Amino acid sequence: MSMMAMPDHDPSNGYESVATEFMARREQSGIGAATVRSWARSLKPGLSILDLGCGHGVPISAALMDDGFDVYGVDSSPTLAAMFRDRFPRAHVVCEAVEDSSFFGRKFDAIVAVGLMFLLPADVQDRLIRRIAQTLSSGGRFLFTSPAEACIWKDVLTGQQSLSLGADTYKDLISNAGLVLVDEYLDGGDNHYYDSRKR
């Protein structure tokens, strides 16, 4: 009796299969870069920033590097991580799923996760926020995006499920992880940002 092989879990949440299209779209859209740059003005140039779900580095990591920050990237798509490495050879990048990443085995002054959190299941989002809090230096900042409304939708590129836990739940998770919500923002694409600081 033969056993049917179960399909392997895709740690890139479908983005490896659409990497080329994703890169083309992000090259044409700078949405998020201005908001992240404005947020980063409260940080000292040269500080270390971890970009989770960094993709090929455009536009978020590129904007932070242009402003003088020491950027480390984590992305689970081999194609996107390789393109990041080719494009920014002086930056640091690893191809790892954020939920399993070692985060380079170090602390960071700030962490950003733009367009990532809602790709993950609810329990993984909770664990990730806690791990991020542990990875931040004292007083470190964490900025991430997810809709303010609790909702489920299909990702435009991959067709996979996206899940926002909603602002009230995110605020609870932030507080429970030992972070303090500093502010919330919207960018030009109506993406909702949560800005928090480690106590």
Side-chain angles (χ1 to χ4, degrees), residues 10-22 25 76-77 80 115 118-120 153-163:
D10 175 12
S12 77
N13 298 293
Y15 273 81
E16 175 61 16
S17 64
V18 297
T20 300
E21 184 179 357
F22 172 78
R25 289 190 180 205
S76 53
S77 161
L80 295 176
F118 48 77
L119 300 177
L120 307 171
W153 71 99
K154 281 193 174 182
D155 184 272
V156 173
L157 277 179
T158 68
Q160 294 197 22
Q161 177 177 291
S162 293
L163 169 67

Side-chain angles (χ1 to χ4, degrees), residues 58-113:
V58 177
I60 304 303
S61 285
L64 292 169
M65 284 184 261
D66 285 346
D67 288 349
F69 294 101
D70 187 19
V71 175
Y72 291 70
V74 176
D75 200 277
S76 53
S77 161
T79 299
L80 295 176
M83 185 58 69
F84 185 110
R85 188 176 293 109
D86 289 346
R87 193 163 194 162
F88 308 107
R90 294 187 180 182
H92 322 268
V93 66
V94 291
C95 181
E96 296 174 346
V98 294
E99 58 266 40
D100 301 320
S101 177
S102 67
F103 296 163
F104 297 89
R106 53 160 294 172
K107 299 274 189 181
F108 288 92
D109 300 303
I111 299 176
V112 296

Side-chain angles (χ1 to χ4, degrees), residues 19-40:
T20 300
E21 184 179 357
F22 172 78
M23 288 188 285
R25 289 190 180 205
R26 283 308 265 156
E27 292 287 342
Q28 299 300 316
S29 171
I31 287 177
T35 303
V36 170
R37 284 185 121 147
S38 177
W39 164 81

Side-chain angles (χ1 to χ4, degrees), residues 131-151:
R131 283 199 62 214
I132 285 168
Q134 294 168 358
T135 304
L136 284 170
S137 299
S138 179
R141 298 284 287 275
F142 173 42
L143 183 73
F144 74 95
T145 58
S146 197
E149 306 80 20
C151 54

